[in-house]
Every structure is written in structure tokens, then in C-alpha cells.
Amino acid sequence: MHRVASSGSNGGSVRNRKEKKLTYVLNDANDSKHCAGVNCLDVLKSSVSGDQSYLFTGSRDGTLKRWAFDEDASFCSATFESHVDWVNDAALAGESTLVSCSSDTTVKTWDSLSDGACTRTFRQHTDYVTCLAVAAKNSNVVASGGLGGEVFIWDIEAALSPVAKPNDAMEEGSTNGLGNSQPVTSLRNVGSSNNISVQSSPSHGYAPTIAKGHKESVYALAMNDAGTMLVSGGTEKVLRVWDPRSGSKTMKLRGHTDNVRVLLLDSTGRFCLSGSSDSMIRLWDLGQQRCLHTYAVHTDSVWALACTPSFTHVYSGGRDQSLYLTDLATRESVLMCTKEHPIQQLALQDDSIWVATIDSSVERWPAEVQSPEKVFQRGGSFLAGNLSFNRARVSLEGLNPPPAYKEPLMTIPGSHPIVQHEILNNKRQILTKDAGDSVKLWDITKGVVVEDFGKISFEEKKEELFEMVSIPSWFTVDTRLGCLSLHLETPQCFSAEMYSADLKVSGRPEDDKINLGRETLKGLLGHWMAKKKHKPKPQALTSGDVLSVKDTKKNLNASKSEDSSAGNDPVYPPFEFPSISPPSIITEGSQGGPWRKKITEFTGTEDEKDFPLWCLDAVLNNRLPPRENTKLSFFLHPCEGSNVQVVTLGKLSAPRILRVHKVTNYVVEKMVLDSPLDSLATDGASVSGGPQQLFAGNGLLTPGSKPWQKLRPSIEILCNNQVLSPEWSLATVRTFIWKKPEDLILNYRVAIAK
């Protein structure tokens, strides 16, 4: 503790630019499952894998997964992780290429039969990318649309061709132009090794075709098999038809009264089906440029459509949680099944249909795709009306027919997403509640579940875990991905400190301060630093060159210096993250855009420029930015009527985490008695002594006293007339006892007992 001036201001620098943050995502014990709603589905029957069928799913947890089947069971054979936000759509472009789009504004391509290798990232979109369309017989053509009103048509073969050497001086933002006059493609080459290095290559010469015309958000795209016709729809309530080869608009069709949410084209490109938030399904003849039929099947928004190969029957689902089959010619409809959640996506496989909802599970239901008339033979069919209120009226009157099927053929279960969370006062633990009402306690500096309490009251457990402790908020958290995402930003993430004794860190003095943010970063990047440390550094020698002894010593010394700065600072046990279901890092460096990767998948070859500079400064160089409010000012006064004074002047300052017992020691060391000891009586005890006594350490010795005559003072520190616990910190006292914006005032009183 030391005195501070009574007036004045703390100097501080103003940060002129927003520093990039680092986010880490905590995975549950079984990260082979999705932990948020499934937004997209696609089925691949691979001839490469001996006619093995795969199901691909994309989720709001930011990942895609490939599912394989063994008789009546399914298992996750690969996880595709690179998107940093919701995956909104995915489509297979041939057997070997999977294309996905996300709310992170990117379109990514993947090797669909690999263990999750991302091959390119396209960053042309300026807002969420919501939908994709692929030509079935010309898988080289892919279209993407999003909330920015942009529609891009990609030549996948040209886009994935080898790119030039990266130009580090080229800024990523300069490649986001929308004109066709110059190359705009910015490609992130991840490759089979999952390298993060960004390839920003305007010299590559490829630019997607742009379909200009949408003034508002695009929610749906569809393309014919040959890739010669593209249809788009969105919040403008109209269908726009394009020639994807040139990007020119050929027609605009009106009819829906609300957002167009889903589109399907037949193989020839003549007929189009559309589903809308107006609850209607419409069949269009694009050759005649008119609507042929309107089907009032649903009672709420239509979000998903799937059609039989002959384009004679359509399966539809949406917000009303119901799956219907409709004969497009006879208008006969049948309720196939009902769900507990709105239906997001449908995908046909053989004689069945996969159904994805805002829940994290996916179900496979009977569909009779080859002979859909068999479903109608089960009874319960009705004629689809022409007006949406017809179905709404039937629903209100309770006349809905029973579903044709009661149980799915197969279920791929997901993990329940987190729906409620509370950061505990210790700022190291978070209490969560998931959609299944299970309550868990997480340790965020280790990335593990401390305890699963099961289905109990969240509020009661929160009250039970309450601690009277005050630690600065050094992170923020959200559950947008269905799991805990912890965001670290400088300088806030370095604002919290704890004593090593409180963290049970051995080998350090008990009052040594440990920065929670820095140690957490060390734990997250520990695998990368270990790999980087042991990665051999090739020597760039031309033919015939010989490395001199001097050069060898120079390189050796540089290597030792690097190792001493990064490798000899251990990760303490309270900050060790698990190798099974490890967390994923989401961040952005000085080049390229955001990226996501599991901490155990780092190879050591990643460029330091892919990480925020402040993060590497803290981890490698132990260099932390200037921090505010790490100390707390207070006054120390004797209790009213006390004859004891402390030799101190003015305001005191000490670390926020300083314990009350340290203040007690300070009082003992600085204390002067203005009256003889026999004038101080406590609990009726009278003590005699000389004219003035000095306290030293934890005892009081009178001149000429013997060891057995040593008297021990009993010191009490108070605030607002309340005796403080010796283990409380000054920050805790200020938060829970003082509760005022003014400087803290502490009082002390002394009792002397033998």
C-alpha cells in the first residue's frame, strides 16, 4: 500500500483502432454431435466409396458434419470446422466438393470425402450468406445469395485452380469489390494440413459472375440441372429469373404476399415451386411466365421443399412443425408427420426423407419417394385449397387429420443447446441450463464441466453458488452457437488477477499475482507454441553454399532465445484445457479474415500474422497493455473514541485483490499508542505498561519484557460498522459492504489480549 495524491488524473493512452478479439468455444464431452439447430442437409451416394451413402448436415453451431451408416445406425465420420458463425446452407458440387455458406459472410469449399479439409474461402459477400444452388449435371456452377442482396455465380473449377504466391502487403478489404471489371476473389487456402494462411491474390484473375437486381435480402435460390437457369427470391416477395452464364435477368414473377423462403426447379428449368412466409406453395410455369397453381397446405410459413424426381409430388415443411406430401396434379395432400420444432430443411434418400429442425437432432422418416401414392393409400388425405385462410380455418376447428407416420426410421441425436447462463462472481465459472433443462457448472479457464447437476432449478442453484467475492469482468460470453463462446478483448481481458495461493499453483510465492487472461491465453495456445518450438527451421541455402560456424551459432542462439521466451513459461494446472473435445479458437490476425480451429489441430506452421498481435505479445513476450482500475484508493481511520493512531497521511492505494488481513498487518506495523497500555481495556482486561508502546510484527513487547510477557494485539478492520473477514479483498469490501462511488473508508480498532 502507498499514499496517492489527493487530486489529479491517471494518464492513459487512447486506442485509436479497434483491436481484433480472440474467442474460444467450449465443446461438450461429445463434440461429434451438433449442439444447435440444423439448417441444411444434403445426401451423397459416393461411387468412390463403393456406393456408400453419406448425409451432410450444417448447423447453427458453425460446423458441418458427415454422417455414415452401418445398417440401422449412424455415426459422425468427419467434422468440417472453419466457419465462425451459423452455417445457413450447404450443397454438394459433385462427389468430392462440398460448398457451404454462413452468417460469417463467407462461402467455403471442402473436400467432402476428407477428414474435414477446407479448400477455399470466398469473401465477396458483405452480409450473411443465406442460400446456395448447384446445377445437378453441371456441378461446376454454384450460386450464392445473402442478406446484402448480392447473388454471385461461381465457376468452381476456375475458383479452385492454383493461386499465385500470397502477397502479404495486400489488404483483405481491398478484395471485396463487386464489379466485374477487376478480379475480386480473395481465397483462403486451408489445404489438407489445415493451414490457416490466407491467399489474397488479385493476380489470380478469377471473379464470380454477379446477378444484379435485388434491392433487398435474398433467402432462396434454385438452379436447373444444366446450370442455364437460376431463380432467386427473398424479402421483395417476387421471383427473379436469371441466366447464370451472364448474370442477366430474364423475368420477374409476382404472386406471393410475403417473403419467399424456398425454391425448387425441375430438371429442365421450366417449372418452379416456391414456398413463402405467406404459408402458400406456388407452382410456376417459367415458359409461360405465370403461376399455374397455389396450394394452401400449411398454416404458417413454408421453409422447406423437396420434390420427387419426376416433379409430380412435393414434400413441404415449415414453421407449423408439420411435414406434408402434396400431389401437384390432383392437389391431394396428406400429413406425413408432426414435429416438436419448426422444420428447417428436407433431403430425400432412397425411399425416405431426412427432416431437420431448429432442434439439433435430425430424423429420417418413411416417404415412399418412388411410389408416393402409397402414402395416400394410408388415408387421411385432403384437397389443398387456393387460399391460405382455408388451412388456417381447418386447424382452428380441430379438423387436422392424423399423421400417416408416428415414428421416424432413424434419429441422429444432437446435444441440447445452452439457453441460459450466469457468470459466477469468481469470474472463472459459469452456470448453464440447456434446452433439456440440464444444469451444469463450467470452469472456463480449463474448458470442462465441473459438475452436471441434472434437471434442477437453475435459480436455486445460482443462489446456492453465490460467493461474496468481487473480481473484474475480464471476458464476455454468448451462446449464439448453442455452446459457450468466451470473447477476450484487450485490455479488458487482462484486468483480473488472483493470488497463486488461491489458484493452488505450486512453486510460486503465495502472494504472487497471476493474470487470468494471460494464463488462459497460454493454455489455449500451448499446443501451438509446443509444436512451433519443436518445428525444424529449414536453412535457405542455394546450391553449393555452406553454412558457416558463425551462422550456425547465430541461428542456435536465436533458437535458444525464442525457446526461452515462449517455451519455458509453463501452463499452470488451473489453465490446462482438455485434449479430448478441446475448445476451438475463433480469431483474426493482420491478414485475411476470421478463422476457427481446434486448439489441438495446430501444427506449428501457422503464421503469427494469423493471430492478434496483442495476444502474441501477452503469451510470448509477457507484455501486457496498460490497464485501468487495477488498484483501489481508500482511507484508513481509527474507530470513534480510539486512543490508537496509525502513522499515515492522506489517501492510500493498494491492489484491488489485496486481502483485509494485509490491511491488518499494515495497521499493526504503523500503529502508535498515544496513551499508556493500562488505559486500553478490552473485555474487562487491564494491561499495564510504560508510557509508550510500539507494535512490531504480530506482537507487542514492552521495554525489558521477556518472551513469555509478549502481548498479542487483536486487530479488527471495519467498514460501515461491519467487521470484515480477513480473507475478503478490498474490491469485495467496496462492492458488497461500502456500496458507494466515493473512495472506500476503513476503520480499525485494537484489543490487546495475552
mmCIF file of all heavy atoms in Angstrom, residues 31 45 72 94 97 160 179 198 264 294 326 331 336 367 382-383 450 502 549 569 579 583 638 652:
data_model
loop_
_atom_site.group_PDB
_atom_site.id
_atom_site.type_symbol
_atom_site.label_atom_id
_atom_site.label_comp_id
_atom_site.label_asym_id
_atom_site.label_seq_id
_atom_site.Cartn_x
_atom_site.Cartn_y
_atom_site.Cartn_z
ATOM 1 N N ASP A 31 -18.387 -34.007 -28.790
ATOM 2 C CA ASP A 31 -18.481 -32.997 -29.838
ATOM 3 C C ASP A 31 -18.707 -33.599 -31.220
ATOM 4 O O ASP A 31 -18.569 -32.911 -32.231
ATOM 5 C CB ASP A 31 -17.244 -32.094 -29.844
ATOM 6 C CG ASP A 31 -15.957 -32.866 -30.091
ATOM 7 O OD1 ASP A 31 -16.029 -34.095 -30.212
ATOM 8 O OD2 ASP A 31 -14.889 -32.228 -30.151
ATOM 9 N N LYS A 45 -24.401 -40.145 -52.528
ATOM 10 C CA LYS A 45 -24.185 -41.571 -52.755
ATOM 11 C C LYS A 45 -22.904 -41.685 -53.558
ATOM 12 O O LYS A 45 -22.868 -41.455 -54.761
ATOM 13 C CB LYS A 45 -25.358 -42.201 -53.492
ATOM 14 C CG LYS A 45 -25.291 -43.727 -53.526
ATOM 15 C CD LYS A 45 -26.586 -44.347 -54.006
ATOM 16 C CE LYS A 45 -26.522 -45.873 -53.917
ATOM 17 N NZ LYS A 45 -27.779 -46.514 -54.346
ATOM 18 N N ASP A 72 -28.644 -50.074 -39.371
ATOM 19 C CA ASP A 72 -29.650 -49.127 -38.886
ATOM 20 C C ASP A 72 -29.061 -48.056 -37.976
ATOM 21 O O ASP A 72 -29.801 -47.338 -37.303
ATOM 22 C CB ASP A 72 -30.753 -49.887 -38.129
ATOM 23 C CG ASP A 72 -31.555 -50.789 -39.046
ATOM 24 O OD1 ASP A 72 -31.651 -50.466 -40.245
ATOM 25 O OD2 ASP A 72 -32.064 -51.816 -38.561
ATOM 26 N N GLY A 94 -20.857 -32.146 -57.126
ATOM 27 C CA GLY A 94 -20.175 -33.377 -57.492
ATOM 28 C C GLY A 94 -19.910 -34.210 -56.245
ATOM 29 O O GLY A 94 -20.441 -33.946 -55.162
ATOM 30 N N THR A 97 -16.662 -32.276 -53.768
ATOM 31 C CA THR A 97 -16.679 -30.893 -53.299
ATOM 32 C C THR A 97 -17.978 -30.581 -52.573
ATOM 33 O O THR A 97 -19.064 -30.763 -53.115
ATOM 34 C CB THR A 97 -16.500 -29.901 -54.467
ATOM 35 O OG1 THR A 97 -15.267 -30.170 -55.136
ATOM 36 C CG2 THR A 97 -16.483 -28.470 -53.953
ATOM 37 N N LEU A 160 -11.168 -22.798 -57.858
ATOM 38 C CA LEU A 160 -10.311 -23.669 -57.067
ATOM 39 C C LEU A 160 -8.978 -23.969 -57.729
ATOM 40 O O LEU A 160 -8.172 -24.718 -57.189
ATOM 41 C CB LEU A 160 -11.026 -24.996 -56.774
ATOM 42 C CG LEU A 160 -12.292 -24.900 -55.928
ATOM 43 C CD1 LEU A 160 -12.844 -26.283 -55.641
ATOM 44 C CD2 LEU A 160 -12.028 -24.158 -54.630
ATOM 45 N N GLY A 179 -17.659 -5.159 -58.635
ATOM 46 C CA GLY A 179 -17.669 -5.021 -60.074
ATOM 47 C C GLY A 179 -16.974 -6.167 -60.769
ATOM 48 O O GLY A 179 -16.171 -6.875 -60.199
ATOM 49 N N VAL A 198 -3.688 -17.194 -45.434
ATOM 50 C CA VAL A 198 -4.641 -16.637 -46.376
ATOM 51 C C VAL A 198 -3.969 -16.373 -47.713
ATOM 52 O O VAL A 198 -2.865 -15.873 -47.775
ATOM 53 C CB VAL A 198 -5.216 -15.318 -45.820
ATOM 54 C CG1 VAL A 198 -6.050 -14.629 -46.867
ATOM 55 C CG2 VAL A 198 -6.033 -15.606 -44.579
ATOM 56 N N LEU A 264 -37.606 -24.449 -55.686
ATOM 57 C CA LEU A 264 -37.183 -25.676 -56.357
ATOM 58 C C LEU A 264 -37.419 -25.521 -57.852
ATOM 59 O O LEU A 264 -38.439 -24.958 -58.266
ATOM 60 C CB LEU A 264 -37.982 -26.888 -55.856
ATOM 61 C CG LEU A 264 -37.653 -27.487 -54.495
ATOM 62 C CD1 LEU A 264 -38.561 -28.677 -54.230
ATOM 63 C CD2 LEU A 264 -36.192 -27.922 -54.435
ATOM 64 N N THR A 294 -51.818 -22.689 -56.822
ATOM 65 C CA THR A 294 -51.491 -22.269 -55.464
ATOM 66 C C THR A 294 -52.009 -23.325 -54.503
ATOM 67 O O THR A 294 -53.156 -23.762 -54.620
ATOM 68 C CB THR A 294 -52.141 -20.909 -55.143
ATOM 69 O OG1 THR A 294 -51.689 -19.945 -56.083
ATOM 70 C CG2 THR A 294 -51.763 -20.453 -53.747
ATOM 71 N N THR A 326 -47.844 -33.481 -51.088
ATOM 72 C CA THR A 326 -48.905 -32.960 -51.945
ATOM 73 C C THR A 326 -48.697 -33.434 -53.379
ATOM 74 O O THR A 326 -47.579 -33.356 -53.910
ATOM 75 C CB THR A 326 -48.929 -31.422 -51.916
ATOM 76 O OG1 THR A 326 -49.111 -30.981 -50.562
ATOM 77 C CG2 THR A 326 -50.053 -30.869 -52.776
ATOM 78 N N ARG A 331 -53.876 -32.053 -56.410
ATOM 79 C CA ARG A 331 -53.958 -31.181 -55.240
ATOM 80 C C ARG A 331 -54.233 -31.958 -53.958
ATOM 81 O O ARG A 331 -54.499 -31.383 -52.909
ATOM 82 C CB ARG A 331 -55.029 -30.094 -55.424
ATOM 83 C CG ARG A 331 -54.923 -29.293 -56.709
ATOM 84 C CD ARG A 331 -56.016 -28.245 -56.783
ATOM 85 N NE ARG A 331 -55.872 -27.252 -55.731
ATOM 86 C CZ ARG A 331 -55.075 -26.191 -55.810
ATOM 87 N NH1 ARG A 331 -54.363 -25.985 -56.903
ATOM 88 N NH2 ARG A 331 -54.992 -25.330 -54.813
ATOM 89 N N MET A 336 -47.831 -36.142 -43.215
ATOM 90 C CA MET A 336 -46.955 -37.295 -43.027
ATOM 91 C C MET A 336 -46.521 -37.451 -41.574
ATOM 92 O O MET A 336 -46.505 -38.552 -41.035
ATOM 93 C CB MET A 336 -45.729 -37.174 -43.935
ATOM 94 C CG MET A 336 -46.063 -37.219 -45.416
ATOM 95 S SD MET A 336 -44.586 -37.345 -46.415
ATOM 96 C CE MET A 336 -43.936 -38.930 -45.904
ATOM 97 N N ALA A 367 -41.009 -42.169 -46.705
ATOM 98 C CA ALA A 367 -41.511 -41.177 -47.665
ATOM 99 C C ALA A 367 -42.091 -41.783 -48.926
ATOM 100 O O ALA A 367 -42.817 -41.102 -49.651
ATOM 101 C CB ALA A 367 -40.390 -40.196 -48.038
ATOM 102 N N PHE A 382 -56.477 -34.816 -47.890
ATOM 103 C CA PHE A 382 -57.417 -33.718 -48.089
ATOM 104 C C PHE A 382 -56.983 -32.948 -49.325
ATOM 105 O O PHE A 382 -55.853 -33.111 -49.822
ATOM 106 C CB PHE A 382 -57.463 -32.802 -46.860
ATOM 107 C CG PHE A 382 -56.146 -32.147 -46.558
ATOM 108 C CD1 PHE A 382 -55.847 -30.882 -47.059
ATOM 109 C CD2 PHE A 382 -55.182 -32.791 -45.774
ATOM 110 C CE1 PHE A 382 -54.638 -30.283 -46.790
ATOM 111 C CE2 PHE A 382 -53.966 -32.190 -45.497
ATOM 112 C CZ PHE A 382 -53.691 -30.933 -46.007
ATOM 113 N N LEU A 383 -57.857 -32.108 -49.836
ATOM 114 C CA LEU A 383 -57.536 -31.296 -51.006
ATOM 115 C C LEU A 383 -56.978 -29.948 -50.553
ATOM 116 O O LEU A 383 -57.579 -29.262 -49.720
ATOM 117 C CB LEU A 383 -58.776 -31.083 -51.878
ATOM 118 C CG LEU A 383 -59.271 -32.303 -52.664
ATOM 119 C CD1 LEU A 383 -60.512 -31.935 -53.485
ATOM 120 C CD2 LEU A 383 -58.184 -32.825 -53.598
ATOM 121 N N VAL A 450 -17.446 -28.861 -14.528
ATOM 122 C CA VAL A 450 -17.055 -29.210 -13.166
ATOM 123 C C VAL A 450 -18.054 -30.185 -12.565
ATOM 124 O O VAL A 450 -17.685 -31.173 -11.923
ATOM 125 C CB VAL A 450 -16.955 -27.943 -12.293
ATOM 126 C CG1 VAL A 450 -16.630 -28.302 -10.850
ATOM 127 C CG2 VAL A 450 -15.913 -26.993 -12.860
ATOM 128 N N ASP A 502 -4.544 -18.808 -4.021
ATOM 129 C CA ASP A 502 -5.976 -19.017 -4.243
ATOM 130 C C ASP A 502 -6.226 -19.950 -5.425
ATOM 131 O O ASP A 502 -7.242 -20.644 -5.474
ATOM 132 C CB ASP A 502 -6.670 -17.680 -4.485
ATOM 133 C CG ASP A 502 -6.586 -16.775 -3.274
ATOM 134 O OD1 ASP A 502 -6.551 -17.309 -2.157
ATOM 135 O OD2 ASP A 502 -6.555 -15.543 -3.451
ATOM 136 N N VAL A 549 30.289 -21.693 -39.329
ATOM 137 C CA VAL A 549 30.167 -21.923 -37.888
ATOM 138 C C VAL A 549 29.522 -20.716 -37.221
ATOM 139 O O VAL A 549 28.689 -20.843 -36.315
ATOM 140 C CB VAL A 549 31.554 -22.218 -37.284
ATOM 141 C CG1 VAL A 549 31.450 -22.320 -35.769
ATOM 142 C CG2 VAL A 549 32.140 -23.474 -37.885
ATOM 143 N N ASP A 569 7.876 -20.967 -20.048
ATOM 144 C CA ASP A 569 6.820 -20.451 -19.204
ATOM 145 C C ASP A 569 5.701 -21.485 -19.186
ATOM 146 O O ASP A 569 4.931 -21.590 -20.142
ATOM 147 C CB ASP A 569 6.316 -19.124 -19.779
ATOM 148 C CG ASP A 569 5.573 -18.320 -18.728
ATOM 149 O OD1 ASP A 569 5.445 -18.811 -17.598
ATOM 150 O OD2 ASP A 569 5.104 -17.219 -19.061
ATOM 151 N N SER A 579 -7.534 -32.397 -24.027
ATOM 152 C CA SER A 579 -7.191 -32.818 -25.390
ATOM 153 C C SER A 579 -8.344 -33.574 -26.029
ATOM 154 O O SER A 579 -8.398 -33.717 -27.251
ATOM 155 C CB SER A 579 -5.935 -33.699 -25.368
ATOM 156 O OG SER A 579 -6.128 -34.816 -24.517
ATOM 157 N N PRO A 583 -11.424 -27.049 -26.817
ATOM 158 C CA PRO A 583 -12.097 -25.855 -27.344
ATOM 159 C C PRO A 583 -11.550 -25.468 -28.710
ATOM 160 O O PRO A 583 -10.458 -25.890 -29.105
ATOM 161 C CB PRO A 583 -11.771 -24.785 -26.297
ATOM 162 C CG PRO A 583 -10.509 -25.249 -25.655
ATOM 163 C CD PRO A 583 -10.569 -26.750 -25.664
ATOM 164 N N PRO A 638 -9.074 5.444 12.571
ATOM 165 C CA PRO A 638 -9.427 4.694 13.780
ATOM 166 C C PRO A 638 -10.921 4.806 14.058
ATOM 167 O O PRO A 638 -11.582 5.767 13.633
ATOM 168 C CB PRO A 638 -8.605 5.386 14.870
ATOM 169 C CG PRO A 638 -8.413 6.776 14.367
ATOM 170 C CD PRO A 638 -8.295 6.660 12.880
ATOM 171 N N LEU A 652 -4.732 6.169 0.773
ATOM 172 C CA LEU A 652 -3.908 5.004 0.484
ATOM 173 C C LEU A 652 -4.357 4.348 -0.809
ATOM 174 O O LEU A 652 -5.504 4.490 -1.244
ATOM 175 C CB LEU A 652 -3.993 3.996 1.634
ATOM 176 C CG LEU A 652 -3.461 4.451 2.989
ATOM 177 C CD1 LEU A 652 -3.808 3.434 4.058
ATOM 178 C CD2 LEU A 652 -1.963 4.666 2.920
#
